[in-house]
Amino acid sequence: MPEANPERATTPPTVAVHLGAHGPTARAVRDWCGSHRDDLRRRRVVARTTWSGLRDAVPALDWRSDRSRRQLREYLTGRGPVLFSSHAPLGPAYRHTGGPLYPTAPAGVDGVAAALADVPWTLHLTIGGHAETVVESWVAAVRGGHRVSFEDFLRATAEGSWVPLVEHLVRVAGSDRVTVHDAAAAAASGRPDAGPAVLAAALGQLLGEPTTLGSDAASAPERHWSARQVEVALTALPHLRSWDERRALRGFVDRTVDTDGEPVRPLTGAQRERLAARDADDRARLSTLVEVR
């Protein structure tokens, strides 16, 4: 990993940014901050972790406009240190047509960096495994009204990698300000959950001292449609004529079809092995760019 700049690394950040590409960890951080407001208040830390709060502050979520960047700066800066946790600047993991991983993230990251110009800040990215990311993105595509088979989607995302995203983070923030938290690797090795790790790291930086805050921030498993829900949607979608009908179908499936079913698991063993190999390759490459935990 490149050597950190000592001057920048020892300057306590005013804002710790957590980009939650791993959904369960992002929710764990949000839920923990919501239930520990008194703890944070005593430490004079302001938590900016809710979707509603971000939308109220930056209604357009347009990361490129000067107006939105000014609104975001007001939201992220305060009288004390601020913890900002959101997946919103990253955008969707994949388009429904596949392609690169997090294709719109550079615009969001650039917007955050511009909003925090001249403000000391650090950046934490949580990532999951490629297997769960691909499956969740495919289900999201079908749920969003796109008729695409899993095999086609898997082929269309064959080049997905975390490396380009992290390379962009390094270009924007510097390698010494960026930490990657690998939730999949932590789970596979039996290490502590990524939620407490992110909170401990981010809050420790903000407070300028080691902290155990966040030790109870457990990540709940990701939930998405079951195999039957996906099957019903894929069967019905060719017969629909508008996006209004697609939204109605999504609501119907959400409310009435197999609502307590197990999440769909379309990957074969061989496919899982290939995606696990991609995880390992990414992890090795990321460790040359930034600290990976």
Side-chain angles (χ1 to χ4, degrees), residues 29 32-49 81 83 199 203 207 213:
V29 171
W32 186 91
C33 289
S35 60
H36 290 74
R37 296 184 187 278
D38 290 342
D39 291 334
L40 293 170
R41 191 177 297 113
R42 281 194 294 271
R43 302 291 188 105
R44 298 184 180 180
V45 175
V46 177
R48 304 293 195 196
T49 59
L83 169 61
L199 283 161
L203 293 171
L207 298 169
L213 287 178

Side-chain angles (χ1 to χ4, degrees), residues 85-288:
S85 178
S86 178
H87 71 277
L90 294 174
Y94 285 108
R95 294 188 174 94
H96 72 277
T97 52
L101 185 60
Y102 283 102
T104 65
V109 172
D110 290 349
V112 172
L116 294 176
D118 302 323
V119 175
W121 64 294
T122 57
L123 197 157
H124 297 263
L125 173 72
T126 51
I127 64 175
H130 283 294
E132 63 180 323
T133 303
V134 168
V135 171
E136 289 161 12
S137 298
W138 170 65
V139 174
V142 176
R143 189 173 178 274
H146 301 285
R147 188 169 182 259
V148 55
S149 72
F150 180 71
E151 294 298 329
D152 287 344
F153 190 80
L154 185 61
R155 281 193 292 271
T157 57
E159 302 303 316
S161 169
W162 294 105
V163 174
L165 172 58
V166 175
E167 288 177 334
H168 189 78
L169 300 183
V170 169
R171 285 194 294 271
V172 169
S175 62
D176 54 318
R177 290 183 181 176
V178 178
T179 303
V180 172
H181 301 264
D182 189 338
S189 64
R191 287 189 281 117
D193 192 80
V198 170
L199 283 161
L203 293 171
Q205 290 173 341
L206 290 175
L207 298 169
E209 61 185 23
T211 176
T212 58
L213 287 178
S215 59
D216 58 339
S219 299
E222 190 70 65
R223 293 291 302 174
H224 53 66
W225 274 3
S226 69
R228 182 164 176 259
Q229 287 175 306
V230 171
E231 181 183 9
V232 168
L234 289 176
T235 301
L237 281 172
H239 305 287
L240 305 184
R241 298 180 179 178
S242 69
W243 285 107
D244 284 342
E245 291 182 348
R246 288 174 171 84
R247 281 190 290 271
L249 172 66
R250 180 173 66 235
F252 168 76
V253 175
D254 280 342
R255 292 189 303 270
T256 63
V257 177
D258 203 22
T259 54
D260 59 350
E262 288 293 315
V264 62
R265 296 182 174 86
L267 287 164
T268 66
Q271 290 168 338
R272 282 192 171 279
E273 288 180 4
R274 288 197 294 272
L275 291 170
R278 195 192 304 178
D279 287 335
D281 182 61
D282 270 6
R283 199 172 297 120
R285 295 168 66 190
L286 293 177
S287 65
T288 68

